[in-house]
Amino acid sequence: MFKSIRSQVATLANALHNQKGFTLSAAFKQAWKVVKAKQEMKAGKVYVTYTKKDGTLRPATGTTAPTLTGYTPKGGAKVRKYNPLYVRYYDVDAQGFRQFNAASFAA
C-alpha cells in the first residue's frame, strides 16, 4: 500500500495534525514512534503501551507476524476502510486482535 516508511510516517503525521490537533512537529515525532513499532510487529513480538479511552495505561505484547498469530484470512470477508490513525495488532497475552489510536501510543 505504501511505497516507503517515510510515506507511512507522512500519512500518519498528516492525520494526527489534521484530525487530532497535533502540531506538525509533535505529529511527526508520534508518527515515527508508531511506524517503528508497526515495523517491529511485522517481524515479531513487541511490548507496547497506550492510553485507553478511559485514561488508563494498557500494556500489551503485540505482533502482526502471520506465523505468530496463527490467523489465516477467510475468503469473502469484506475489506475495511484503511484509517492511518488506528493500529491493529494481535495481542499475544489476551489471544485476540486489538487496535489502538496512534495518538494515544505511549511506548
Side-chain angles (χ1 to χ4, degrees), residues 7-100:
S7 176
Q8 288 181 0
V9 171
T11 302
L12 180 55
N14 188 28
L16 288 169
H17 176 66
N18 290 332
Q19 295 178 23
K20 295 294 181 180
F22 279 55
T23 63
L24 269 178
S25 175
F28 270 98
K29 286 178 186 175
Q30 186 75 357
W32 271 111
K33 287 195 306 187
V34 171
V35 169
K36 284 179 183 177
K38 284 173 66 173
Q39 290 298 320
E40 291 175 10
M41 281 186 194
K42 287 181 182 178
K45 297 177 186 175
V46 178
Y47 181 78
V48 296
T49 305
Y50 57 91
T51 306
K52 293 178 17 177
K53 285 186 178 181
D54 65 1
T56 60
L57 283 178
R58 164 90 160 78
T61 304
T63 185
T64 56
T67 56
L68 296 174
T69 62
Y71 175 74
T72 51
K74 298 171 183 68
K78 70 176 187 175
V79 178
R80 297 182 184 265
K81 284 186 176 180
Y82 174 73
N83 187 342
L85 283 177
Y86 294 101
V87 178
R88 293 184 190 110
Y89 68 97
Y90 182 80
D91 192 338
V92 178
D93 300 329
Q95 296 292 313
F97 286 94
R98 305 281 186 267
Q99 74 177 5
F100 62 88

